[in-house]
Amino acid sequence: MSTDPQPAPMFPDGLSAAEAARRLQTEGFNELPQAGSRSILRLVADVLKEPMLLLLLGGAGIYLALGDMAEAILLGVFASASVFITIVQEARTERVLESLRDLSSPRALVIRDGERIRIAGREVVRGDLIVLSEGDRVAADAVLRDCDDLLTDESLLTGESVPVRKRPAAGEAMDAATVAGGDDQPFVFSGSLVVRGGGIAEVMATGPHTAIGRIGQSVTALETETPRLRQQTRRLVVAFAIGGAIVVAITVVLYAMYRGGWLEGILAGIALGMSMLPEEFPVVLTVFLAMGAWRISQARVLTRRASAIESLGAATVLCSDKTGTLTQNRMMVARLVLPDGGVLQPATATPEAIAPPFRDLVATAVLACDPQSHDPMEKALHALGADATAGATLQRRYGLRPDLLAMTNVWSRDGAGVAAAKGAPEAIAKLCGVDGGALAALQARVETLAAEGLRVLGVAEASWSGEALPDAQQDFAFSFRGLVGFADPLRPEVKDAVAECRAAGVRVIMITGDYPATATAIARQAGIDPERVIAGPELADLDDDALALAARAPTAFARIMPEQKLRIVTALKADGEIVAMTGDGVNDAPSLKAAHIGIAMGGRGTDVAREASAIVLLDDDFGSIVKAIRLGRRIYDNLRKAMSFILAVHFPIAGLALLPLVTGLPLLLGPVHIAFLEMIIDPVCSLVFEAETEESDIMRRPPRDPQEPLLPRPLVLWGALQGILAMLATGGVLLLAHRNGMPDDELRALVFFSLVSVIVSLIFVNRSFSSSLREALLRPNRMLLLVIGFVVAVLATSLTLPAAAALFRFGPLHADDLALTAAAAITTLIMLELSKFPLRAALSRRADKPDQVVKAASPAR
């Protein structure tokens, strides 16, 4: 903070109207600049650059050219939905500055030409004298020229709900380094709330130059990272496309060599390429994220950016604000301490336990409060002793002064008078003349309460006989009545939620603007158990590497400024962590946007915090974060199951397309058969696997490595093994039936039924990576039953209805043929289930030793 002398206002009666108009014209309105918004066409053009969306549209075009209208329409609908959802999300994200503009532009009472006039906050200019009264929202950053018992709530900027005292300026200047928070500053800040007293302040900064404006600029400058899952899916699609191109080329060559027709070979290659086109990948990703957002909303969690769902299962660190997130953002009386050392906890005390001395202490403390107060600590006292002022008349108030941090109210009741005082314990002790051993004992009690994270006020009382009141509160003969300790209580669900996070390998770090003692007490109550509490000044002396190193151990951060929150998140990300950040204030907005997963409180949170976040807790329930992480892991697990199934199911399709070319057998799969297979594969991928319940160990395993590909090598090999066995089973049925001389139409029906049966068996194989076959068969899944019912109905129709049989070119099948298809499916299922035992054993070992796995799986430092 600059200590250069601040020049007196150029206009003692405020600015003239002409000068205010000139400055408004020159410097602009007192609001945040509106970000250049993109037109709908520009948004659509940007969305259409996405490779996965281009694949959807390209696939729809190819199917349309081939005359497959149903598949073309389906892909077109998914593409249109993707465009619409993306545009809506982009538009909602860009509303963050609008929320800041609303917060930073309240109405204001200013002095111009010697008169007080009410104007729109956006018309306040630098140099204006603004008049502040209790309940006002400050319109701009300003230096106090005069004030009386002024307290402001700066929680929007600091995150702390306790108001701070203000004093008139004594030569201090306000600059970009001036920050909110802390008592006895001569500065007020745009967006803060006057909770007591009043004053006159000279505006020093407006619009983007205010503290709230600088936060808005930092939010705008931050770029949202491209989701890792999207990057991985792109690579997967490219790999499939390359593999498909190779298979198509082989098909064309083999067809030309063995069938003698290049044109027919090209057409057969195109048909095979379409059967292998991995359009399921973007479709599955779109559906899973959309359904995931819906499922998470059932837990009262709003997903603003669907890409955050993919990161939930990989989160390694949860950075949590304290006030309003871990705590309830309301003050309550936690301790009453009498002069003799007697202690009472009102929240847990029975009415019989509240002895008269404690009632007298509360009554005196209430009398020392404003009757209609905005101060959260005074509200807590009123809630505890609401009837203390009944029948009493307030005669005079003595406000806080820099030289005496205490306030006194003088009341009269039934002809008798009483002066009630409260304030800093040392100030109350001074008023009461407490010294020597009594003062040492009082200081020890205050330190004990402060170590528990409580804010402590002393309370005193004096009689008044009715003569003229003294000019200063020091002239009353006060008697010490005791101490009152206030706490912002921990949310009841927090402790269990933190424990579950730790069991799942997610570290919880508390970041607060509060004092270290309070931060330590709340962190311990929540079960965070920090080994070290780093305060803002200490953090300022750490470089990024040292900060990242310090944050690896159980840590809490106290007295942190908004830009330091952002720096902590950035350092954790640079250290390889996947960071989730919770918050509710304007001061949290930059770090919420910078984190991989920004989580805002929907009830108490500001619009700015919600707009900057990816996820909003609608009920402000910290435990909902754990539910979201659990659902995020489930969604990612099920997405992998779907991807493994997609990989496996294309092997037998490609094999049946290639086998006739190599052996000279008749071509069995035509467009109608492939279209029907897609009608099975698409809903299985998009709906059946999405609806699968979670694995039993989902919250006992460490976070997944974010660098791990969506289909790691073991899973690729597992999918390939499934596909090869399925291809051998269906190919074996084909060769066996052909050797026995089965007619082509019957052979086509038999092979197709075998292929569908094997695909159904692959569904059961991929339903779980770790559970038994019995659990996979009995685990409820309504969508699976619907899909199997649809498959059975269509297959039965294709055999019994002549028109359908003609469409599929199927001949009749007998009981022994159907038994052969069932045998192929059952054999494939049993062999693959036996192959899962090594995988199941590995998963069990991981669940038994999560701590070891967390260390082993941590990203390279």
Side-chain angles (χ1 to χ4, degrees):
M1 180 184 300
S2 172
T3 56
D4 296 333
Q6 175 71 18
M10 185 178 299
F11 305 99
D13 292 332
L15 298 176
S16 66
E19 177 62 19
R22 187 189 67 79
R23 295 191 181 189
L24 187 64
Q25 179 69 28
T26 303
E27 300 178 5
F29 287 107
N30 176 35
E31 60 186 8
L32 297 183
Q34 188 170 6
S37 58
R38 292 180 290 174
S39 66
I40 294 296
L41 291 178
R42 175 66 183 277
L43 283 172
V44 172
D46 290 343
V47 171
L48 290 178
K49 294 177 183 178
E50 291 292 330
M52 288 192 299
L53 185 59
L54 290 175
L55 181 62
L56 277 172
L57 295 174
I62 293 174
Y63 277 116
L64 185 61
L66 292 177
D68 192 343
M69 183 64 68
E71 193 73 18
I73 292 175
L74 180 63
L75 293 182
V77 168
F78 275 116
S80 301
S82 179
V83 172
F84 176 76
I85 291 171
T86 304
I87 290 175
V88 170
Q89 294 293 351
E90 289 281 347
R92 291 182 65 187
T93 300
E94 289 181 357
R95 288 214 309 262
V96 62
L97 280 184
E98 290 301 319
S99 299
L100 280 169
R101 286 158 62 92
D102 293 340
L103 276 174
S104 62
S105 187
R107 293 186 63 79
L109 182 64
V110 300
I111 301 176
R112 288 185 180 172
D113 293 320
E115 296 184 0
R116 298 188 177 193
I117 60 173
R118 183 78 63 177
I119 63 173
R122 67 193 299 265
E123 297 175 4
V124 171
V125 298
R126 183 178 53 83
D128 260 329
L129 294 179
I130 55 176
V131 181
L132 303 174
S133 302
E134 187 170 318
D136 286 348
R137 183 77 66 177
V138 180
D141 288 5
V143 174
L144 285 163
R145 297 304 177 199
D146 181 44
C147 67
D148 178 32
D149 193 19
L150 181 63
L151 270 71
T152 64
D153 178 356
E154 297 176 351
S155 59
L156 286 176
L157 295 168
T158 65
E160 298 312 311
S161 58
V162 178
V164 291
R165 295 187 304 270
K166 298 297 179 181
R167 62 173 176 81
E172 297 93 340
M174 186 179 231
D175 56 28
T178 305
V179 295
D183 289 320
D184 297 323
Q185 285 201 56
F187 311 114
V188 291
F189 299 89
S190 176
S192 59
L193 179 70
V194 178
V195 298
R196 191 168 73 202
I200 296 177
E202 181 183 359
V203 174
M204 294 287 107
T206 61
H209 305 292
T210 61
I212 197 172
R214 291 192 293 272
I215 291 175
Q217 289 176 317
S218 67
V219 170
T220 306
L222 292 171
E223 294 290 337
T224 303
E225 296 184 1
T226 302
R228 296 170 185 266
L229 189 57
R230 186 172 299 176
Q231 297 173 357
Q232 294 176 356
T233 308
R234 287 175 183 170
R235 291 194 293 266
L236 202 58
V237 168
V238 170
F240 252 77
I242 293 173
I246 293 173
V247 173
V248 167
I250 293 174
T251 301
V252 173
V253 172
L254 290 176
Y255 204 103
M257 291 175 58
Y258 289 97
R259 299 296 178 91
W262 282 99
L263 181 58
E264 292 182 355
I266 293 174
L267 293 175
I270 291 176
L272 177 61
M274 290 307 303
S275 70
M276 297 184 63
L277 183 70
E279 83 278 2
E280 294 95 351
F281 287 143
V283 169
V284 163
L285 183 60
T286 301
V287 172
F288 266 62
L289 294 183
M291 291 294 293
W294 176 79
R295 289 190 184 281
I296 289 178
S297 72
Q298 303 306 296
R300 303 285 296 160
V301 178
L302 172 66
T303 305
R304 297 191 63 255
R305 289 199 296 270
S307 59
I309 296 173
E310 69 178 80
S311 301
L312 283 169
T316 59
V317 173
L318 173 58
C319 296
S320 176
D321 185 32
K322 177 184 73 69
T323 306
T325 305
L326 294 176
T327 64
Q328 299 178 26
N329 195 23
R330 65 175 182 86
M331 301 303 289
M332 62 173 290
V333 178
R335 298 285 191 283
L336 297 174
V337 182
L338 299 177
D340 61 4
V343 179
L344 178 73
Q345 297 184 35
T348 58
T350 62
E352 296 77 18
I354 304 179
F358 290 111
R359 294 194 184 96
D360 293 342
L361 171 59
V362 172
T364 303
V366 172
L367 290 173
C369 298
D370 288 341
Q372 303 294 328
S373 179
H374 294 272
D375 187 316
M377 288 192 288
E378 293 190 347
K379 286 182 177 180
L381 286 169
H382 278 296
L384 196 60
D387 58 347
T389 59
T393 302
L394 180 64
Q395 299 295 318
R396 182 171 177 178
R397 292 179 53 202
Y398 297 84
L400 291 168
R401 292 290 181 268
D403 59 337
L404 184 66
L405 299 179
M407 62 174 292
T408 299
N409 288 341
V410 182
W411 298 80
S412 63
R413 178 189 287 153
D414 299 329
V418 62
K422 67 176 176 62
E426 60 273 17
I428 296 298
K430 182 179 179 181
L431 284 177
C432 298
V434 178
D435 55 14
L439 180 61
L442 175 63
Q443 291 173 336
R445 291 172 188 146
V446 171
E447 290 174 0
T448 299
L449 294 173
E452 297 179 34
L454 305 183
R455 298 180 184 273
V456 185
L457 293 180
V459 178
E461 184 179 15
S463 297
W464 169 55
S465 60
E467 63 269 13
L469 291 170
D471 294 331
Q473 52 187 325
Q474 293 95 322
D475 297 329
F476 287 99
F478 281 108
S479 297
F480 184 64
R481 288 290 178 261
L483 300 172
V484 181
F486 298 85
D488 185 1
L490 194 73
R491 290 179 177 273
E493 74 278 0
V494 164
K495 191 169 185 178
D496 290 341
V498 169
E500 193 165 359
C501 281
R502 296 179 67 173
V506 181
R507 292 191 295 125
V508 180
I509 295 177
M510 188 176 75
I511 304 175
T512 178
D514 213 333
Y515 292 95
T518 305
T520 301
I522 293 296
R524 287 175 178 166
Q525 291 176 33
I528 297 174
D529 299 329
E531 296 178 359
R532 181 182 180 186
V533 177
I534 300 176
E538 181 184 355
L539 186 148
D541 295 332
L542 298 176
D543 59 27
D544 290 344
D545 292 338
L547 173 58
L549 182 63
R552 291 179 191 174
T555 308
F557 294 90
R559 303 304 292 166
I560 297 299
M561 297 294 103
E563 61 273 13
Q564 291 179 319
K565 288 187 177 184
L566 178 60
R567 189 179 163 215
I568 292 169
V569 170
T570 303
L572 289 168
K573 289 170 63 178
D575 199 37
E577 305 285 2
I578 301 300
V579 182
M581 171 74 192
T582 71
D584 60 356
V586 173
N587 62 309
D588 297 319
S591 50
L592 285 172
K593 186 172 182 182
H596 295 103
I597 313 161
I599 305 172
M601 297 294 162
R604 297 180 183 271
T606 61
D607 288 342
V608 179
R610 289 193 289 269
E611 293 296 332
S613 66
I615 288 175
V616 179
L617 304 183
L618 297 179
D619 54 6
D620 286 3
D621 185 348
F622 186 83
S624 296
I625 299 175
V626 179
K627 297 177 184 175
I629 291 175
R630 178 188 297 272
L631 284 168
R633 292 188 174 192
R634 166 185 164 177
I635 290 165
Y636 193 83
D637 277 358
N638 290 343
L639 184 58
R640 277 191 164 182
K641 295 172 185 177
M643 294 297 187
S644 175
F645 173 78
I646 293 170
L647 180 64
V649 81
H650 279 86
F651 273 84
I653 296 175
L656 289 177
L658 285 172
L659 190 59
L661 301 179
V662 177
T663 61
L665 294 171
L667 291 175
L668 300 176
L669 298 182
V672 67
H673 306 103
I674 294 175
F676 175 71
L677 290 174
E678 292 297 332
M679 292 176 68
I680 300 174
I681 296 170
D682 285 347
V684 165
C685 298
S686 304
L687 301 176
V688 173
F689 284 114
E690 191 283 328
E692 282 297 325
T693 55
E694 63 199 39
E695 301 284 339
S696 59
D697 67 338
I698 197 165
M699 292 300 285
R700 297 197 305 273
R701 53 170 111 137
R704 62 180 173 82
D705 185 350
Q707 302 301 326
E708 186 180 47
L710 180 60
L711 281 179
R713 183 174 298 176
L715 204 57
V716 170
L717 295 176
W718 171 238
L721 174 63
Q722 296 178 66
I724 291 171
L725 286 177
M727 183 172 62
L728 292 175
T730 52
V733 170
L734 170 60
L735 295 176
L736 179 62
H738 184 263
R739 179 174 298 178
N740 291 333
M742 179 175 283
D744 289 351
D745 287 349
E746 294 182 19
L747 181 62
R748 181 176 293 107
L750 177 64
V751 171
F752 188 79
F753 272 53
S754 299
L755 177 59
V756 172
S757 300
V758 168
I759 289 175
V760 171
S761 73
L762 294 180
I763 297 174
F764 287 99
V765 168
N766 285 282
R767 289 191 69 192
S768 174
F769 292 138
S770 57
S771 63
S772 66
L773 175 59
R774 180 177 178 275
E775 292 175 350
L777 291 173
L778 298 180
R779 179 187 294 177
N781 187 327
R782 183 180 300 176
M783 292 308 305
L784 175 60
L785 296 178
L786 291 175
V787 169
I788 292 179
F790 169 78
V791 170
V792 172
V794 173
L795 290 180
T797 302
S798 68
L799 285 180
T800 58
L801 189 64
L807 176 65
F808 284 97
R809 290 182 293 165
F810 285 167
L813 292 181
H814 306 91
D816 55 344
D817 299 325
L818 296 177
L820 181 60
T821 64
I826 293 172
T827 301
T828 303
L829 179 61
I830 293 174
M831 293 183 66
L832 289 174
E833 280 297 321
L834 293 175
S835 302
K836 286 168 64 174
F837 276 104
L839 177 64
R840 187 175 300 125
L843 288 172
S844 299
R845 286 195 300 272
R846 185 176 67 177
D848 291 340
K849 302 178 180 180
D851 294 337
Q852 296 180 12
V853 178
V854 169
K855 296 176 182 178
S858 298
R861 303 295 187 191

